[in-house]
Amino acid sequence: NAGVTQTPKFQVLKTGQSMTLQCAQDMNHEYMSWYRQDPGMGLRLIHYSVGAGITDQGEVPNGYNVSRSTTEDFPLRLLSAAPSQTSVYFCASSSRGPGANVLTFGAGSRLTVL
Amino acid sequence: GQQVMQIPQYQHVQEGEDFTTYCNSSTTLSNIQWYKQRPGGHPVFLIQLVKSGEVKKQKRLTFQFGEAKKNSSLHITATQTTDVGTYFCGGSNYKLTFGKGTLLTVNP
C-alpha cells in the first residue's frame, strides 16, 4: 500500500516554463488537496477536491490549476512558473473531508524556479 | 476567514525538559488535528480531538482541546532527541487550516 505518491521529488524550472506535479493515492480517498510550504508560513492550501470532477480553490490558488478526472489522481499544473512559486509542495488525501478525517501526506515535491 | 495561530514559532530545549505548543483559532472548530514533520520529511498525523475539553495522551505527549473548542495545546514531557521536528495544529471547520507550526530542537 503506497499511500500518497508524488512525482517528481525535485524540479528546477526557469521563469515562464510550465510543468505538472503529479499526485496519486491508492486508498480510494475522496478528498485530495495540494499545499505549499514556505519557511515561516506553514502549510497553505492551494486547491482541493472532494471527488472526481469537483475542485475548489484554497487559500493561495493563483498561478495554479488542478483537475480531478479520477479518484486516484490529482495533478497540480503551473502554467507559467514564477520565482514566487519556489516552494515545497505537498499532496494530501483523506477518506472524508475536507476537515472531518485525517490527512495522509505525500513525501513532497521541492520546486525551484529560477 | 478562519485563522489559526500557533505559538511559539521556535523552541529549543535541553533533552529531558518539557515542551508545550499552543494553537488558537479565530472561530469555533469542529475538530483539531496535530501533525509532526521531521526535518526534510512530510507531515504525519498524530491525533485528532473532537470533544470540548478533550484530553488525549500518547506516551509522553498530552493533547488538550479547549472548552470553547477554539484552542488546543500539545505538551511533551521529558523531551528526547527523537522529538525534534515541527509540530502543526490543523483546525477544522469544513476546511482544514493549519497553524504555522512550532519548530522544536532538542540539545542532547
Side-chain angles (χ1 to χ4, degrees):
Chain A
N1 192 341
V4 179
T5 302
Q6 289 185 234
T7 56
K9 286 185 169 30
F10 301 95
Q11 183 72 51
V12 179
L13 292 177
K14 294 182 180 179
T15 297
Q17 287 185 319
S18 63
M19 78 155 301
T20 299
L21 298 177
Q22 302 290 346
C23 176
Q25 53 89 11
D26 60 0
M27 298 173 285
N28 202 31
H29 284 174
E30 289 297 319
Y31 178 80
M32 297 186 73
S33 56
W34 277 101
Y35 288 86
R36 62 176 288 174
Q37 184 174 38
D38 304 292
M41 298 299 292
L43 294 159
R44 293 184 292 171
L45 182 64
I46 305 172
H47 285 285
Y48 66 96
S49 168
V50 298
I54 305 169
T55 64
D56 204 350
Q57 295 181 351
E59 179 185 358
V60 288
N62 293 340
Y64 307 95
N65 282 348
V66 293
S67 60
R68 185 94 180 270
S69 56
T70 67
T71 299
E72 294 78 20
D73 300 298
F74 190 45
L76 179 71
R77 297 183 183 86
L78 286 72
L79 298 180
S80 179
S84 61
Q85 294 178 304
T86 293
S87 188
V88 180
Y89 293 85
F90 288 102
C91 179
S93 70
S94 72
S95 57
R96 287 187 297 144
N101 212 335
V102 305
L103 293 175
T104 300
F105 284 83
S109 298
R110 184 174 295 273
L111 174 66
T112 301
V113 182
L114 303 175
Chain B
Q2 178 178 298
Q3 292 185 344
V4 176
M5 307 298 293
Q6 193 173 351
I7 57 170
Q9 191 173 359
Y10 307 98
Q11 184 76 60
H12 178 75
V13 299
Q14 291 292 124
E15 189 172 22
E17 292 182 339
D18 292 356
F19 160 77
T20 304
T21 174
Y22 301 90
C23 190
N24 290 286
S25 170
S26 59
T27 60
T28 302
L29 302 169
S30 59
N31 69 78
I32 196 158
Q33 301 170 18
W34 286 91
Y35 293 78
K36 177 183 179 180
Q37 183 178 23
R38 295 183 187 276
H42 59 278
V44 175
F45 171 75
L46 292 176
I47 209 158
Q48 178 175 264
L49 304 172
V50 179
K51 300 177 182 177
S52 169
E54 189 170 13
V55 178
K56 287 189 177 180
K57 293 188 176 183
Q58 288 180 349
K59 298 183 180 178
R60 295 176 295 104
L61 278 62
T62 302
F63 304 84
Q64 294 187 331
F65 201 10
E67 294 290 338
K69 300 185 73 172
K70 295 180 72 173
N71 58 76
S72 181
S73 65
L74 159 59
H75 179 81
I76 302 178
T77 303
T79 55
Q80 300 175 357
T81 54
T82 54
D83 295 325
V84 164
T86 301
Y87 292 85
F88 291 98
C89 62
S92 175
N93 233 340
Y94 187 68
K95 289 184 185 179
L96 188 61
T97 301
F98 284 96
K100 292 185 179 180
T102 297
L103 173 61
L104 172 65
T105 56
V106 180
N107 195 31

